[in-house]
């Protein structure tokens, strides 16, 4: 399984997936680190970081991508890039549902993408 290093590469790999039933599972959720990075009241009114998780899958193969998002402009840019996957059925799922499907496909990476080697 190839591991994409960018959203563009994720889209490229997704377009190459073989099989039927092309589906793009999408999860967007707040990312809350276990410990406060800056325990200061100045951050109390800040915007929570979001993580968008994507799983493109068919009956035969799958590819996964997760990316932190800080504002609506970044979400809009992601949607523009994902337009090339218009032929995929899209489903918005919970993180648990996405992880279950990811494990069913044999993908077990559970963290935000690793830095490029």
């Amino acid at each position: 399984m190839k591991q994409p290093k960018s959203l563009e590469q994720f889209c490229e790999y997704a377009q190459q997936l073989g099989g039927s039933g092309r589906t793009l599972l999408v999860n967007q959720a707040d990312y809350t680190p276990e410990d406060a990075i800056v325990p200061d009241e100045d951050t109390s009114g800040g915007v929570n970081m979001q993580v968008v998780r994507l799983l493109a899958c068919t009956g035969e193969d799958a590819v996964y991508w997760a990316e932190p998002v800080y504002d609506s402009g970044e979400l809009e840019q992601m949607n523009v890039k994902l337009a090339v996957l218009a032929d995929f059925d899209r489903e918005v799922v919970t993180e648990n549902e996405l992880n279950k499907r990811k494990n069913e496909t044999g993908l077990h990476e559970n963290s935000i993408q690793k830095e490029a080697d």
Side-chain angles (χ1 to χ4, degrees), residues 4-97:
K5 294 183 169 95
S6 67
L7 181 58
E8 293 84 355
Q9 201 171 56
F10 167 83
C11 291
E12 178 185 325
Y13 291 168
Q15 289 175 306
Q16 297 171 4
L17 292 176
S20 60
R22 296 163 65 96
T23 304
L24 179 63
L25 302 177
V26 180
N27 170 262
Q28 178 183 344
D30 285 343
Y31 174 76
T32 307
E34 292 179 20
D35 296 317
I37 296 171
V38 182
D40 186 339
E41 66 269 2
D42 289 343
T43 61
S44 63
V47 176
N48 288 343
M49 180 177 72
Q50 300 268 306
V51 176
V52 174
R53 295 170 181 87
L54 305 167
L55 178 66
C57 52
T58 66
E60 297 176 11
D61 208 354
V63 62
Y64 174 76
W65 179 253
E67 186 168 325
V69 176
Y70 297 94
D71 62 41
S72 60
E74 288 180 286
L75 280 174
E76 192 172 319
Q77 289 175 354
M78 286 183 79
N79 278 328
V80 168
K81 292 175 184 175
L82 290 170
V84 298
L85 302 180
D87 61 329
F88 280 70
D89 294 330
R90 292 191 184 194
E91 292 181 34
V92 177
V93 296
T94 67
E95 185 177 356
N96 286 339
E97 290 172 312

